[in-house]
């Protein structure tokens, strides 16, 4: 998101333009913000896979320029630590929130001599790419490998198998953001710094058809 670009935030601040950061992992102190707890959401998804019996879980990171990426990776690591599972570098691949980067990351992970039984991608586009790579390798999803995403974009329910993912309440986030802007605009005497609210909304783990108990233990 643009709200992770420090120069953009600074320019808005200096110009006195009211702004709200939406879906950032770490909101700038001078901006109002609406988000979910990306770390806890990723932790819950990883715990879900562990509860199914997965002990080798691959992870496709998001764009390093976006703070939510780091928070989601932190959640993945936290859940592994809680379960006493090692964080294995070979199971972690860099993505950039694009389908193309998801293809490359999934190829790297699934080319391992001992590939994981599950992959958790930092967004739905990269998870969809991982499913494509799995199908190209004649792997059944979720019979041979479980693949999960994050965001619950329309793509998540349009592909086959439909993605198990974390749902961000985008409409509610937009509504809250407009509400925070409205509060600032109704207090013009306070300038752009009149209301700096930080709103956290609930997320949901949406289970569909892309995850299952691992075929091997």
């Amino acid at each position: 998101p643009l709200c992770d670009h420090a120069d953009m935030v600074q320019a808005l601040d200096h110009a006195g333009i009211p702004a709200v950061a939406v879906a950032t992992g770490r909101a700038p102190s001078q901006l109002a913000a609406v988000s979910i707890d990306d770390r806890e959401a990723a932790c819950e998804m990883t715990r879900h896979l562990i509860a199914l019996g997965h002990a080798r879980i691959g992870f496709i990171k998001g764009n390093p320029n976006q703070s939510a990426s780091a928070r989601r990776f932190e959640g993945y690591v936290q859940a592994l630590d809680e379960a006493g599972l090692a964080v294995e570098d070979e199971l972690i691949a860099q993505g950039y929130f694009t389908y193309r980067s998801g293809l490359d990351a999934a190829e790297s992970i699934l080319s391992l001599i001992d590939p994981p039984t599950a992959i958790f991608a930092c967004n739905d586009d990269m998870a969809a790419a991982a499913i494509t790579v799995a199908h190209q390798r004649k792997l059944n999803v979720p019979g041979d490998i479980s693949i999960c995403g994050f965001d619950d974009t329309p793509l998540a329910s349009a592909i086959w198998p439909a993605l198990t993912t974390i749902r961000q309440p985008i409409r509610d986030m937009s509504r809250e953001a407009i509400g925070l802007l409205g509060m600032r605009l109704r207090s013009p005497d306070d300038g752009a710094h009149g209301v700096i609210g930080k709103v956290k909304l609930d997320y949901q783990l949406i289970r569909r058809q892309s995850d299952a108990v691992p075929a091997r233990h």
Side-chain angles (χ1 to χ4, degrees):
L2 289 175
C3 52
D4 280 331
H5 291 259
D7 290 344
M8 173 74 74
V9 172
Q10 187 176 39
L12 291 170
D13 189 45
H14 286 171
I17 298 173
V20 178
V22 179
T24 180
R26 292 183 178 87
S29 60
Q30 67 269 43
L31 286 189
V34 182
S35 62
I36 64 169
D37 189 332
D38 287 275
R39 175 174 179 151
E40 185 56 34
C43 189
E44 182 171 333
M45 178 62 82
T46 309
R47 288 176 186 139
H48 166 69
L49 291 169
I50 293 170
L52 286 174
H54 296 280
R56 283 178 60 77
I57 302 170
F59 188 82
I60 301 178
K61 290 183 172 182
N63 195 317
N65 291 331
Q66 297 186 20
S67 55
S69 303
R71 298 292 289 167
R72 293 173 191 183
F73 181 63
E74 289 168 5
Y76 163 78
V77 171
Q78 178 184 333
L80 293 182
D81 286 345
E82 290 174 354
L85 298 174
V87 178
E88 301 182 53
D89 289 342
E90 68 175 4
L91 298 181
I92 300 164
Q94 183 66 60
Y96 295 91
F97 285 138
T98 63
Y99 184 85
R100 175 72 255 180
S101 69
L103 291 175
D104 294 339
E107 281 285 0
S108 171
I109 292 172
L110 291 177
S111 295
L112 295 171
I113 295 175
D114 183 17
T117 60
I119 292 177
F120 177 18
C122 220
N123 78 342
D124 292 338
D125 281 7
M126 297 190 297
I131 288 178
T132 296
V133 173
H135 287 164
Q136 290 172 341
R137 290 174 168 271
K138 310 300 182 187
L139 296 173
N140 177 273
V141 180
D144 297 317
I145 184 166
S146 291
I147 297 175
C148 300
F150 200 111
D151 289 331
D152 197 29
T153 58
L155 177 66
S157 54
I159 61 174
W160 179 85
L163 270 176
T164 291
T165 188
I166 294 292
R167 174 178 291 167
Q168 289 208 75
I170 300 300
R171 289 183 181 179
D172 291 341
M173 293 168 80
S174 301
R175 189 179 299 113
E176 290 285 348
I178 294 298
L180 288 171
L181 281 177
M183 291 170 66
R184 286 193 175 195
L185 295 171
R186 284 193 296 270
S187 304
D189 293 340
D190 294 327
H193 300 283
V195 178
I196 303 180
K198 308 292 185 187
V199 178
K200 289 278 189 186
L201 296 182
D202 291 335
Y203 61 85
Q204 273 183 288
L205 193 161
I206 304 297
R207 192 171 184 193
R208 295 195 177 98
Q209 291 84 45
S210 67
D211 65 315
V213 173
R216 65 182 190 276
H217 293 276

